[in-house]
CSV table of all heavy atoms in Angstrom, one decimal:
chain,number,residue,atom,x,y,z
A,1189,LEU,N,336.6,70.3,-8.0
A,1189,LEU,CA,337.9,70.9,-8.4
A,1189,LEU,C,338.2,70.5,-9.8
A,1189,LEU,O,338.3,69.3,-10.2
A,1189,LEU,CB,339.0,70.3,-7.4
A,1189,LEU,CG,338.6,70.5,-5.9
A,1189,LEU,CD1,339.5,69.7,-5.0
A,1189,LEU,CD2,338.5,71.9,-5.5
A,1190,HIS,N,338.4,71.5,-10.6
A,1190,HIS,CA,338.4,71.3,-12.1
A,1190,HIS,C,339.6,71.9,-12.8
A,1190,HIS,O,339.9,73.1,-12.6
A,1190,HIS,CB,337.1,72.0,-12.6
A,1190,HIS,CG,336.8,71.8,-14.0
A,1190,HIS,ND1,337.3,70.8,-14.8
A,1190,HIS,CD2,336.0,72.5,-14.9
A,1190,HIS,CE1,336.9,70.9,-16.0
A,1190,HIS,NE2,336.1,71.9,-16.1
A,1191,GLY,N,340.3,71.1,-13.6
A,1191,GLY,CA,341.3,71.6,-14.5
A,1191,GLY,C,340.7,71.7,-15.9
A,1191,GLY,O,340.0,70.7,-16.3
A,1192,THR,N,340.8,72.8,-16.6
A,1192,THR,CA,340.1,73.0,-17.8
A,1192,THR,C,341.0,73.5,-18.9
A,1192,THR,O,342.0,74.3,-18.6
A,1192,THR,CB,338.9,73.9,-17.7
A,1192,THR,OG1,338.3,74.1,-18.9
A,1192,THR,CG2,339.3,75.2,-17.1
A,1193,THR,N,340.7,73.2,-20.1
A,1193,THR,CA,341.5,73.7,-21.3
A,1193,THR,C,340.6,74.7,-22.1
A,1193,THR,O,340.9,75.0,-23.2
A,1193,THR,CB,342.0,72.6,-22.2
A,1193,THR,OG1,340.8,71.8,-22.6
A,1193,THR,CG2,343.0,71.7,-21.5
A,1194,VAL,N,339.5,75.2,-21.5
A,1194,VAL,CA,338.6,76.1,-22.2
A,1194,VAL,C,339.3,77.3,-22.7
A,1194,VAL,O,339.2,77.7,-23.8
A,1194,VAL,CB,337.4,76.4,-21.4
A,1194,VAL,CG1,336.6,77.5,-22.0
A,1194,VAL,CG2,336.5,75.2,-21.1
A,1195,ALA,N,340.1,78.0,-21.8
A,1195,ALA,CA,340.8,79.2,-22.1
A,1195,ALA,C,341.9,78.9,-23.2
A,1195,ALA,O,342.1,79.6,-24.1
A,1195,ALA,CB,341.4,79.8,-20.9
A,1196,THR,N,342.6,77.8,-23.0
A,1196,THR,CA,343.7,77.4,-23.9
A,1196,THR,C,343.1,77.2,-25.3
A,1196,THR,O,343.7,77.7,-26.3
A,1196,THR,CB,344.4,76.1,-23.4
A,1196,THR,OG1,344.6,76.2,-22.0
A,1196,THR,CG2,345.6,75.8,-24.2
A,1197,ASN,N,342.1,76.4,-25.4
A,1197,ASN,CA,341.5,76.1,-26.7
A,1197,ASN,C,341.0,77.3,-27.4
A,1197,ASN,O,341.0,77.5,-28.6
A,1197,ASN,CB,340.4,75.1,-26.6
A,1197,ASN,CG,340.9,73.7,-26.1
A,1197,ASN,OD1,342.1,73.4,-26.3
A,1197,ASN,ND2,340.0,72.9,-25.6
A,1198,ALA,N,340.4,78.3,-26.6
A,1198,ALA,CA,339.9,79.5,-27.2
A,1198,ALA,C,341.0,80.3,-27.9
A,1198,ALA,O,340.8,80.8,-29.0
A,1198,ALA,CB,339.2,80.4,-26.1
A,1199,VAL,N,342.2,80.3,-27.3
A,1199,VAL,CA,343.3,81.0,-27.9
A,1199,VAL,C,343.8,80.2,-29.1
A,1199,VAL,O,344.1,80.8,-30.2
A,1199,VAL,CB,344.5,81.2,-26.9
A,1199,VAL,CG1,345.7,81.7,-27.5
A,1199,VAL,CG2,344.0,82.1,-25.8
A,1200,LEU,N,344.0,78.9,-29.0
A,1200,LEU,CA,344.6,78.1,-30.1
A,1200,LEU,C,343.7,78.1,-31.3
A,1200,LEU,O,344.1,78.1,-32.4
A,1200,LEU,CB,344.9,76.7,-29.6
A,1200,LEU,CG,346.0,76.5,-28.5
A,1200,LEU,CD1,346.1,75.1,-28.1
A,1200,LEU,CD2,347.3,77.0,-29.1
A,1201,GLU,N,342.4,78.0,-31.0
A,1201,GLU,CA,341.4,77.9,-32.1
A,1201,GLU,C,340.9,79.3,-32.6
A,1201,GLU,O,340.1,79.4,-33.5
A,1201,GLU,CB,340.2,77.1,-31.7
A,1201,GLU,CG,340.6,75.6,-31.3
A,1201,GLU,CD,339.5,74.9,-30.7
A,1201,GLU,OE1,338.3,75.4,-30.6
A,1201,GLU,OE2,339.7,73.8,-30.2
A,1202,LYS,N,341.5,80.4,-32.0
A,1202,LYS,CA,341.1,81.7,-32.4
A,1202,LYS,C,339.6,82.0,-32.2
A,1202,LYS,O,339.1,82.9,-32.8
A,1202,LYS,CB,341.5,82.0,-33.8
A,1202,LYS,CG,342.9,81.7,-34.2
A,1202,LYS,CD,343.9,82.5,-33.5
A,1202,LYS,CE,345.4,82.2,-33.9
A,1202,LYS,NZ,346.4,82.9,-33.1
A,1203,LYS,N,339.0,81.3,-31.2
A,1203,LYS,CA,337.6,81.6,-30.9
A,1203,LYS,C,337.5,82.5,-29.7
A,1203,LYS,O,337.1,82.2,-28.6
A,1203,LYS,CB,336.9,80.2,-30.6
A,1203,LYS,CG,336.9,79.3,-31.8
A,1203,LYS,CD,336.2,78.0,-31.4
A,1203,LYS,CE,336.1,77.1,-32.6
A,1203,LYS,NZ,335.5,75.8,-32.3
A,1204,ILE,N,338.0,83.7,-29.9
A,1204,ILE,CA,338.1,84.7,-28.9
A,1204,ILE,C,337.1,85.9,-29.1
A,1204,ILE,O,336.6,86.0,-30.2
A,1204,ILE,CB,339.6,85.3,-28.8
A,1204,ILE,CG1,340.0,85.9,-30.1
A,1204,ILE,CG2,340.5,84.2,-28.4
A,1204,ILE,CD1,341.4,86.6,-30.1
A,1205,ALA,N,336.9,86.7,-28.1
A,1205,ALA,CA,336.0,87.8,-28.2
A,1205,ALA,C,336.7,88.9,-29.0
A,1205,ALA,O,337.9,89.0,-29.0
A,1205,ALA,CB,335.6,88.3,-26.8
A,1206,ARG,N,335.9,89.8,-29.5
A,1206,ARG,CA,336.4,91.0,-30.2
A,1206,ARG,C,336.6,92.0,-29.1
A,1206,ARG,O,335.6,92.4,-28.4
A,1206,ARG,CB,335.4,91.5,-31.2
A,1206,ARG,CG,335.9,92.7,-32.0
A,1206,ARG,CD,335.0,93.0,-33.2
A,1206,ARG,NE,335.4,94.1,-34.0
A,1206,ARG,CZ,336.4,94.2,-34.9
A,1206,ARG,NH1,337.1,93.0,-35.1
A,1206,ARG,NH2,336.7,95.2,-35.5
A,1207,VAL,N,337.8,92.4,-28.9
A,1207,VAL,CA,338.2,93.2,-27.7
A,1207,VAL,C,338.4,94.7,-28.1
A,1207,VAL,O,339.1,95.0,-29.1
A,1207,VAL,CB,339.5,92.7,-27.1
A,1207,VAL,CG1,339.9,93.5,-25.9
A,1207,VAL,CG2,339.3,91.2,-26.7
A,1208,GLY,N,337.8,95.6,-27.3
A,1208,GLY,CA,338.0,97.0,-27.4
A,1208,GLY,C,339.1,97.4,-26.4
A,1208,GLY,O,339.2,96.8,-25.3
A,1209,LEU,N,340.0,98.3,-26.7
A,1209,LEU,CA,341.1,98.7,-25.9
A,1209,LEU,C,341.1,100.2,-25.6
A,1209,LEU,O,341.0,101.0,-26.6
A,1209,LEU,CB,342.4,98.2,-26.5
A,1209,LEU,CG,343.7,98.6,-25.8
A,1209,LEU,CD1,343.8,98.1,-24.4
A,1209,LEU,CD2,344.9,98.2,-26.6
A,1210,VAL,N,341.3,100.6,-24.4
A,1210,VAL,CA,341.4,102.0,-24.0
A,1210,VAL,C,342.8,102.2,-23.5
A,1210,VAL,O,343.2,101.6,-22.5
A,1210,VAL,CB,340.4,102.4,-22.9
A,1210,VAL,CG1,340.5,103.9,-22.6
A,1210,VAL,CG2,339.0,102.1,-23.4
A,1211,VAL,N,343.6,103.1,-24.2
A,1211,VAL,CA,344.9,103.4,-23.8
A,1211,VAL,C,345.1,104.9,-23.6
A,1211,VAL,O,344.2,105.7,-23.9
A,1211,VAL,CB,345.9,103.0,-24.9
A,1211,VAL,CG1,345.9,101.5,-25.1
A,1211,VAL,CG2,345.7,103.7,-26.2
A,1212,THR,N,346.2,105.3,-23.0
A,1212,THR,CA,346.5,106.7,-22.8
A,1212,THR,C,346.7,107.4,-24.1
A,1212,THR,O,347.3,106.8,-25.1
A,1212,THR,CB,347.8,106.9,-21.9
A,1212,THR,OG1,347.5,106.3,-20.6
A,1212,THR,CG2,348.1,108.4,-21.8
A,1213,GLU,N,346.2,108.6,-24.2
A,1213,GLU,CA,346.3,109.4,-25.5
A,1213,GLU,C,347.8,109.4,-26.0
A,1213,GLU,O,348.7,109.7,-25.2
A,1213,GLU,CB,345.8,110.8,-25.3
A,1213,GLU,CG,345.3,111.5,-26.5
A,1213,GLU,CD,344.4,112.7,-26.2
A,1213,GLU,OE1,345.0,113.7,-25.7
A,1213,GLU,OE2,343.2,112.6,-26.4
A,1214,GLY,N,348.0,109.1,-27.3
A,1214,GLY,CA,349.3,109.1,-27.8
A,1214,GLY,C,349.9,107.7,-27.9
A,1214,GLY,O,351.0,107.5,-28.4
A,1215,HIS,N,349.2,106.7,-27.3
A,1215,HIS,CA,349.7,105.3,-27.3
A,1215,HIS,C,348.8,104.3,-28.0
A,1215,HIS,O,348.7,103.1,-27.6
A,1215,HIS,CB,349.9,104.9,-25.8
A,1215,HIS,CG,351.0,105.6,-25.1
A,1215,HIS,ND1,352.2,105.2,-24.9
A,1215,HIS,CD2,350.9,106.9,-24.6
A,1215,HIS,CE1,353.0,106.1,-24.3
A,1215,HIS,NE2,352.2,107.1,-24.1
A,1216,ARG,N,348.1,104.8,-29.0
A,1216,ARG,CA,347.0,103.9,-29.6
A,1216,ARG,C,347.6,102.7,-30.4
A,1216,ARG,O,347.0,101.7,-30.5
A,1216,ARG,CB,346.3,104.8,-30.6
A,1216,ARG,CG,345.1,104.1,-31.3
A,1216,ARG,CD,344.1,105.1,-31.9
A,1216,ARG,NE,343.1,104.4,-32.6
A,1216,ARG,CZ,343.0,104.3,-34.0
A,1216,ARG,NH1,344.0,104.8,-34.7
A,1216,ARG,NH2,342.0,103.6,-34.6
A,1217,HIS,N,348.9,102.8,-30.8
A,1217,HIS,CA,349.5,101.7,-31.6
A,1217,HIS,C,350.3,100.7,-30.7
A,1217,HIS,O,351.1,100.0,-31.2
A,1217,HIS,CB,350.3,102.3,-32.7
A,1217,HIS,CG,349.6,103.0,-33.7
A,1217,HIS,ND1,349.2,104.3,-33.6
A,1217,HIS,CD2,349.1,102.6,-35.0
A,1217,HIS,CE1,348.5,104.7,-34.6
A,1217,HIS,NE2,348.5,103.7,-35.5
A,1218,ILE,N,350.0,100.7,-29.4
A,1218,ILE,CA,350.9,99.9,-28.5
A,1218,ILE,C,350.8,98.4,-28.9
A,1218,ILE,O,351.8,97.7,-28.9
A,1218,ILE,CB,350.4,100.1,-27.1
A,1218,ILE,CG1,351.3,99.3,-26.1
A,1218,ILE,CG2,349.0,99.7,-26.8
A,1218,ILE,CD1,351.1,99.6,-24.7
A,1219,MET,N,349.7,97.9,-29.3
A,1219,MET,CA,349.5,96.5,-29.7
A,1219,MET,C,350.2,96.2,-31.0
A,1219,MET,O,350.6,95.0,-31.3
A,1219,MET,CB,348.1,96.0,-29.6
A,1219,MET,CG,347.4,96.1,-28.3
A,1219,MET,SD,348.1,95.1,-27.0
A,1219,MET,CE,347.7,93.5,-27.6
A,1220,GLN,N,350.2,97.1,-31.9
A,1220,GLN,CA,350.7,96.9,-33.2
A,1220,GLN,C,352.3,97.0,-33.2
A,1220,GLN,O,353.0,96.3,-33.9
A,1220,GLN,CB,350.2,98.0,-34.2
A,1220,GLN,CG,348.7,97.7,-34.7
A,1220,GLN,CD,347.7,97.9,-33.5
A,1220,GLN,OE1,347.9,98.7,-32.7
A,1220,GLN,NE2,346.7,97.1,-33.5
A,1221,ILE,N,352.8,98.0,-32.4
A,1221,ILE,CA,354.3,98.1,-32.3
A,1221,ILE,C,354.9,96.9,-31.6
A,1221,ILE,O,355.9,96.3,-32.0
A,1221,ILE,CB,354.6,99.4,-31.6
A,1221,ILE,CG1,354.1,100.6,-32.5
A,1221,ILE,CG2,356.1,99.5,-31.4
A,1221,ILE,CD1,354.3,102.0,-31.8
A,1222,ALA,N,354.2,96.5,-30.5
A,1222,ALA,CA,354.7,95.4,-29.7
A,1222,ALA,C,356.1,95.4,-29.4
A,1222,ALA,O,356.7,96.5,-29.0
A,1222,ALA,CB,354.3,94.1,-30.5
A,1223,ARG,N,356.8,94.3,-29.4
A,1223,ARG,CA,358.3,94.2,-29.2
A,1223,ARG,C,359.0,93.8,-30.4
A,1223,ARG,O,358.4,93.2,-31.3
A,1223,ARG,CB,358.5,93.2,-28.1
A,1223,ARG,CG,358.0,93.5,-26.7
A,1223,ARG,CD,358.8,94.7,-26.1
A,1223,ARG,NE,358.4,95.0,-24.7
A,1223,ARG,CZ,358.6,96.1,-24.1
A,1223,ARG,NH1,359.2,97.1,-24.7
A,1223,ARG,NH2,358.2,96.3,-22.9
A,1224,SER,N,360.3,94.1,-30.5
A,1224,SER,CA,361.1,93.8,-31.7
A,1224,SER,C,361.5,92.4,-31.7
A,1224,SER,O,362.0,91.9,-32.7
A,1224,SER,CB,362.3,94.7,-31.7
A,1224,SER,OG,363.1,94.5,-30.6
A,1225,LEU,N,361.3,91.6,-30.6
A,1225,LEU,CA,361.8,90.2,-30.5
A,1225,LEU,C,361.0,89.4,-31.5
A,1225,LEU,O,359.8,89.4,-31.6
A,1225,LEU,CB,361.6,89.7,-29.1
A,1225,LEU,CG,361.9,88.2,-28.9
A,1225,LEU,CD1,363.4,88.0,-29.1
A,1225,LEU,CD2,361.5,87.7,-27.6
Side-chain angles (χ1 to χ4, degrees):
L1189 311 168
H1190 183 22
T1192 178
T1193 56
V1194 171
T1196 314
N1197 293 341
V1199 172
L1200 293 176
E1201 298 170 9
K1202 308 297 183 185
K1203 295 179 179 178
I1204 58 176
R1206 186 167 177 81
V1207 180
L1209 175 61
V1210 181
V1211 298
T1212 297
E1213 206 162 67
H1215 294 260
R1216 185 164 175 255
H1217 293 80
I1218 184 172
M1219 298 297 292
Q1220 284 69 34
I1221 295 174
R1223 293 291 186 199
S1224 60
L1225 176 67

